[in-house]
Amino acid sequence: MTMGIVSSGDDSHQAEGQGGADHAARERVLQIRWVAQSDRPAPIAASSPAEALELMSAGSRAFGALGSTGGDVEMRLDPEAFGFVNTGDEDGILNQEPFAAVLSCSDARVPIELALGRGANDLFVVRIAGNVPGAECLGSMHYASEHLPRVQLFSVIGHSQCGAVTAAVDALLDPATYLTVAQLAPLREIVDSLFGSVRLAAYAMQQVTGDATFVAAAESPRLREVLIAVSAVANAALGANVVARNLGREAAFGVYDLSERTVGSMRAGGWESGMRMAPETDAELGAVIREAAEGYLAERTTVSP
């Protein structure tokens, strides 16, 4: 797959006298192509969780740079990734050989393989609204752990402006909104599973600000936005902790920021691209969430309540 900013090349189809603005727009067309390359080593191999983490983080940074740097990112895919089985394979079966497993949200705005700079057969992906590590999702992760030996790292990736996280935040800030959720058992199960992350985020914000967060956020659009953002980080970090404990394998977390177009997390000094290993202890988890609260609160200090 080749991703990059390309020139449109042939101008013959354009009417004479077309404005310069249209021409400039054509010069910044984003083109994404999937290209089979027989010389591409297959599959992508990672020898350790740290190497898998760096592969995904580097891919995310490259994807986020598209459209801003003008540089190209080229990814070669073995023909097997398109279903063309290697004639040298004795069984004639296309093997599943991802180097990492990802639990992410179902949101259509989050193209998870592209956002991590990866192609077909690189990642084992499980998607559910709110990237909640429920029984079914953990079952899929267990399958990857037991039957896909090349998987080196398990990860949970949330995203900004998550609808499921927003629903959980609003249900706690304004319980009347929870009535419609409560009437739909499958939806209620997802939202209910997010309450813990929201409460952890609110507690972190309270530690930073000294205010009763739920009371303040119910009256302040700014604090509500911060609570939603911090909750997304808390949910991803907590989810990765759960996955690591449940599988007995190393896990990582990150949040895909829709505006930055990178997977990373908010730190006290601002947004930082790149995935992070899952917090192992309660103290580490609390520190991750508090740091996110500090960063988001500082970022939005210029926004009036």
Coordinates of all heavy atoms in Angstrom, one line a residue, residues 130 132 164-175 177-179 181-182 187-203 214 227 231 234-235 238 289:
G130 N -17.0 1.4 22.3 CA -16.4 1.7 23.5 C -15.1 0.9 23.9 O -14.6 1.0 25.0
V132 N -14.6 -2.0 24.9 CA -14.8 -2.6 26.2 C -14.4 -4.1 26.2 O -14.8 -4.9 25.3 CB -16.3 -2.6 26.6 CG1 -16.5 -3.3 27.9 CG2 -16.8 -1.1 26.7
A164 N -19.7 6.1 22.9 CA -20.0 5.3 24.0 C -19.5 5.9 25.3 O -20.2 5.9 26.4 CB -19.4 3.9 23.9
V165 N -18.3 6.4 25.3 CA -17.8 7.1 26.5 C -18.6 8.4 26.8 O -18.9 8.6 28.0 CB -16.3 7.5 26.3 CG1 -15.8 8.4 27.4 CG2 -15.4 6.3 26.2
T166 N -19.0 9.1 25.8 CA -19.8 10.3 26.0 C -21.2 9.9 26.6 O -21.7 10.6 27.6 CB -20.1 11.0 24.7 OG1 -18.8 11.4 24.1 CG2 -21.0 12.2 24.9
A167 N -21.8 8.8 26.2 CA -23.0 8.4 26.8 C -22.9 8.0 28.3 O -23.8 8.4 29.1 CB -23.6 7.2 26.0
A168 N -21.8 7.4 28.6 CA -21.5 7.1 30.0 C -21.3 8.3 30.9 O -21.8 8.4 32.0 CB -20.3 6.1 30.1
V169 N -20.6 9.3 30.3 CA -20.3 10.5 31.0 C -21.7 11.2 31.3 O -22.0 11.7 32.4 CB -19.4 11.4 30.3 CG1 -19.4 12.9 30.9 CG2 -17.9 10.9 30.3
D170 N -22.5 11.4 30.2 CA -23.7 12.1 30.3 C -24.7 11.4 31.2 O -25.5 12.0 31.9 CB -24.3 12.3 28.9 CG -23.6 13.4 28.1 OD1 -22.9 14.2 28.7 OD2 -23.8 13.4 26.9
A171 N -24.6 10.1 31.3 CA -25.5 9.3 32.2 C -25.2 9.6 33.6 O -26.2 9.6 34.5 CB -25.4 7.8 31.9
L172 N -24.0 9.9 33.9 CA -23.6 10.2 35.3 C -23.9 11.7 35.6 O -24.2 12.1 36.7 CB -22.2 9.8 35.6 CG -21.9 8.3 35.6 CD1 -20.4 8.1 35.7 CD2 -22.6 7.7 36.8
L173 N -23.7 12.6 34.6 CA -23.9 14.0 34.8 C -25.4 14.3 34.8 O -25.8 15.2 35.6 CB -23.2 14.8 33.7 CG -21.7 14.7 33.6 CD1 -21.1 15.7 32.6 CD2 -21.0 15.1 35.0
D174 N -26.1 13.7 34.0 CA -27.6 13.9 33.9 C -28.3 12.6 33.8 O -28.5 12.0 32.7 CB -27.9 14.7 32.6 CG -29.3 15.1 32.5 OD1 -30.1 14.8 33.4 OD2 -29.7 15.6 31.4
P175 N -28.6 12.0 35.0 CA -29.2 10.6 35.0 C -30.5 10.5 34.1 O -30.8 9.4 33.7 CB -29.5 10.5 36.5 CG -28.6 11.3 37.2 CD -28.4 12.5 36.3
T177 N -30.8 11.1 31.1 CA -30.4 10.6 29.8 C -30.2 9.1 29.8 O -30.1 8.5 28.7 CB -29.1 11.3 29.3 OG1 -28.0 11.0 30.2 CG2 -29.2 12.8 29.3
Y178 N -30.0 8.6 31.0 CA -29.8 7.1 31.1 C -31.0 6.3 30.9 O -30.9 5.1 30.6 CB -29.2 6.8 32.5 CG -28.8 5.4 32.7 CD1 -27.7 4.8 32.0 CD2 -29.4 4.6 33.7 CE1 -27.3 3.5 32.2 CE2 -29.0 3.3 33.9 CZ -28.0 2.8 33.2 OH -27.6 1.5 33.4
L179 N -32.2 6.9 30.9 CA -33.4 6.1 30.8 C -33.5 5.4 29.4 O -33.9 4.3 29.4 CB -34.6 7.1 31.0 CG -34.8 7.6 32.4 CD1 -36.0 8.6 32.4 CD2 -35.0 6.5 33.4
V181 N -31.1 4.6 27.5 CA -30.0 3.5 27.5 C -30.5 2.3 28.3 O -30.3 1.1 27.9 CB -28.7 4.0 28.1 CG1 -27.7 2.9 28.2 CG2 -28.2 5.2 27.2
A182 N -31.1 2.5 29.5 CA -31.5 1.4 30.4 C -32.5 0.5 29.7 O -32.6 -0.6 30.1 CB -32.0 2.0 31.7
L187 N -27.2 -2.3 24.9 CA -26.5 -1.0 24.9 C -26.2 -0.7 26.4 O -25.1 -0.1 26.6 CB -27.4 0.1 24.3 CG -26.9 1.5 24.3 CD1 -25.6 1.6 23.6 CD2 -28.0 2.4 23.7
R188 N -27.1 -1.0 27.3 CA -26.9 -0.7 28.7 C -25.7 -1.4 29.2 O -24.9 -0.9 30.0 CB -28.1 -1.1 29.5 CG -28.0 -0.7 31.0 CD -29.2 -1.1 31.8 NE -29.4 -2.5 31.9 CZ -30.5 -3.2 31.5 NH1 -31.5 -2.5 30.9 NH2 -30.6 -4.5 31.6
E189 N -25.4 -2.6 28.7 CA -24.3 -3.4 29.1 C -23.0 -2.7 28.8 O -22.0 -2.7 29.6 CB -24.3 -4.8 28.5 CG -23.2 -5.7 29.0 CD -23.4 -7.1 28.4 OE1 -24.4 -7.4 27.8 OE2 -22.4 -7.9 28.5
I190 N -22.9 -2.1 27.6 CA -21.7 -1.4 27.2 C -21.5 -0.1 28.0 O -20.4 0.1 28.5 CB -21.8 -1.1 25.7 CG1 -21.7 -2.3 24.8 CG2 -20.7 -0.1 25.3 CD1 -21.9 -2.1 23.3
V191 N -22.6 0.7 28.1 CA -22.5 1.9 28.8 C -22.1 1.7 30.3 O -21.3 2.3 30.9 CB -23.8 2.7 28.7 CG1 -23.7 4.0 29.6 CG2 -24.0 3.2 27.3
D192 N -22.8 0.7 30.9 CA -22.5 0.4 32.3 C -21.0 0.0 32.5 O -20.5 0.3 33.6 CB -23.4 -0.8 32.8 CG -24.8 -0.3 33.0 OD1 -25.1 0.8 32.8 OD2 -25.7 -1.2 33.3
S193 N -20.5 -0.7 31.6 CA -19.1 -1.2 31.7 C -18.1 0.0 31.7 O -16.9 -0.2 32.0 CB -18.7 -2.2 30.6 OG -18.8 -1.6 29.4
L194 N -18.6 1.2 31.2 CA -17.7 2.3 31.1 C -17.8 3.2 32.3 O -16.9 4.1 32.5 CB -18.1 3.1 29.9 CG -17.8 2.5 28.5 CD1 -18.5 3.2 27.4 CD2 -16.3 2.4 28.2
F195 N -18.7 3.0 33.2 CA -18.9 3.9 34.4 C -17.6 3.9 35.3 O -17.2 4.9 35.8 CB -20.1 3.4 35.2 CG -21.4 3.8 34.7 CD1 -22.5 3.1 35.0 CD2 -21.5 4.9 33.8 CE1 -23.8 3.4 34.4 CE2 -22.8 5.2 33.3 CZ -23.9 4.5 33.6
G196 N -16.9 2.7 35.4 CA -15.7 2.7 36.2 C -14.7 3.6 35.7 O -14.0 4.4 36.4
S197 N -14.5 3.6 34.4 CA -13.4 4.5 33.8 C -13.8 6.0 33.9 O -13.0 6.8 34.2 CB -13.3 4.2 32.3 OG -12.8 2.9 32.1
V198 N -15.1 6.3 33.8 CA -15.6 7.7 34.0 C -15.3 8.1 35.4 O -14.9 9.3 35.7 CB -17.0 7.8 33.6 CG1 -17.5 9.3 33.9 CG2 -17.2 7.5 32.1
R199 N -15.6 7.3 36.4 CA -15.4 7.6 37.8 C -13.9 7.8 38.1 O -13.6 8.7 38.9 CB -16.0 6.6 38.7 CG -17.6 6.6 38.7 CD -18.2 5.6 39.7 NE -19.6 5.7 39.7 CZ -20.4 6.6 40.3 NH1 -19.8 7.6 40.9 NH2 -21.7 6.6 40.2
L200 N -13.1 7.0 37.5 CA -11.7 7.1 37.7 C -11.2 8.5 37.1 O -10.3 9.2 37.7 CB -10.9 6.0 37.1 CG -11.0 4.6 37.8 CD1 -10.4 3.5 37.0 CD2 -10.4 4.7 39.2
A201 N -11.7 8.8 36.0 CA -11.4 10.1 35.3 C -11.8 11.3 36.2 O -11.1 12.3 36.4 CB -12.0 10.2 33.9
A202 N -13.1 11.2 36.7 CA -13.6 12.2 37.5 C -12.8 12.4 38.8 O -12.5 13.5 39.3 CB -15.1 12.0 37.9
Y203 N -12.3 11.3 39.4 CA -11.5 11.3 40.6 C -10.2 12.0 40.3 O -9.7 12.8 41.1 CB -11.3 9.9 41.1 CG -10.4 9.9 42.4 CD1 -10.8 10.5 43.6 CD2 -9.2 9.3 42.3 CE1 -10.0 10.5 44.7 CE2 -8.4 9.2 43.5 CZ -8.8 9.8 44.6 OH -8.0 9.8 45.8
F214 N -18.2 15.9 39.2 CA -19.5 15.6 38.6 C -20.4 16.8 38.7 O -21.1 17.2 37.8 CB -20.1 14.4 39.3 CG -19.6 13.1 38.8 CD1 -19.2 12.1 39.7 CD2 -19.4 12.8 37.4 CE1 -18.6 10.9 39.3 CE2 -18.9 11.6 37.0 CZ -18.5 10.7 37.9
L227 N -13.8 15.8 30.9 CA -14.1 14.5 31.5 C -14.3 13.5 30.4 O -13.8 12.3 30.6 CB -15.4 14.7 32.3 CG -15.9 13.4 33.0 CD1 -14.9 12.9 34.0 CD2 -17.2 13.7 33.8
S231 N -11.7 10.3 30.3 CA -12.4 9.0 30.4 C -11.9 8.1 29.3 O -11.8 6.9 29.5 CB -13.9 9.2 30.4 OG -14.4 9.9 31.5
A234 N -8.6 6.8 30.4 CA -8.8 5.9 31.5 C -9.3 4.6 31.0 O -8.9 3.5 31.4 CB -9.8 6.5 32.5
N235 N -10.3 4.6 30.1 CA -10.9 3.4 29.5 C -9.9 2.5 28.8 O -9.9 1.3 28.9 CB -12.1 3.8 28.6 CG -12.8 2.6 28.1 OD1 -13.1 1.6 28.9 ND2 -13.2 2.6 26.9
L238 N -7.2 1.2 31.5 CA -7.8 0.2 32.3 C -8.1 -1.1 31.5 O -7.8 -2.2 31.9 CB -9.1 0.7 32.9 CG -9.9 -0.3 33.7 CD1 -9.1 -0.7 34.9 CD2 -11.2 0.4 34.2
I289 N -4.0 8.3 34.5 CA -5.2 9.0 34.4 C -5.1 10.5 34.9 O -5.6 11.4 34.3 CB -6.3 8.3 35.1 CG1 -6.5 6.9 34.5 CG2 -7.7 9.1 35.0 CD1 -7.5 6.0 35.3

